[in-house]
């Protein structure tokens, strides 16, 4: 009798766990923006678990805010931490972080691609 209760309890717990996973998966945003797939559901799940993306940009404040607002609307489980600077300063920062083995940026958006070659 005790074994039957344990089996029933284990089955109930497993069912509850699968229900939670199913609900969490159903609430996870789709990695589709403007009709284009930009990632995988697994990537979105990992990003939501981390909860933050670091965005380095040399775009104007208006452009950066629009990008951030649209991203956070599409993926409300991820907050965007924006670091704005002119392209040269961002390139210097990224290179310094890379040399130190402590890269902070998840996304880099710069306007002057020639600065990367220098």
């Amino acid at each position: 009798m005790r074994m039957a209760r344990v089996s029933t309890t284990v089955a109930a717990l497993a069912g509850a766990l699968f229900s939670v996973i199913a609900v969490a998966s159903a609430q996870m945003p789709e990695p589709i923006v403007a009709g284009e797939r930009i990632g995988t559901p697994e990537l979105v799940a990992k990003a939501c678990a981390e909860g933050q993306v670091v965005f380095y940009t040399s775009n104007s404040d208006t452009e950066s805010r629009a990008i951030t607002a649209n991203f956070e609307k599409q993926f409300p489980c991820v907050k965007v931490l924006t670091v704005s600077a002119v392209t040269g300063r961002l390139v210097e920062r990224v290179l310094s972080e890379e040399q130190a083995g402590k890269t902070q940026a998840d996304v880099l958006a710069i306007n002057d691609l020639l600065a990367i070659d220098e």
Side-chain angles (χ1 to χ4, degrees):
M1 182 73 159
R2 183 173 179 190
M3 190 61 147
R5 259 190 285 171
V6 170
S7 295
T8 303
T9 302
V10 169
L13 289 173
L17 178 61
F18 288 127
S19 296
V20 168
I21 291 170
V23 168
S25 296
Q27 294 173 350
M28 200 63 58
E30 283 292 318
I32 298 172
V33 176
E36 183 177 339
R37 180 167 294 280
I38 62 166
T40 63
E42 294 81 17
L43 179 64
V44 172
K46 287 179 182 179
C48 287
E50 188 172 317
Q52 176 178 291
V53 64
V54 180
F55 176 45
Y56 284 12
T57 181
S58 63
N59 292 331
S60 71
D61 285 341
T62 303
E63 291 172 324
S64 297
R65 286 189 193 123
I67 291 167
T68 299
N70 286 331
F71 183 89
E72 288 180 343
K73 182 179 178 185
Q74 178 78 27
F75 303 99
C77 55
V78 181
K79 297 301 172 209
V80 178
L81 173 64
T82 303
V83 175
S84 296
V86 296
T87 299
R89 296 258 189 231
L90 283 176
V91 171
E92 288 174 11
R93 184 171 179 162
V94 169
L95 292 175
S96 294
E97 289 175 0
E98 181 183 16
Q99 288 174 346
K102 296 183 179 184
T103 304
Q104 300 297 309
D106 295 304
V107 178
L108 174 64
I110 60 174
N111 294 323
D112 184 4
L113 296 178
L114 295 176
I116 295 175
D117 288 337
E118 296 175 356

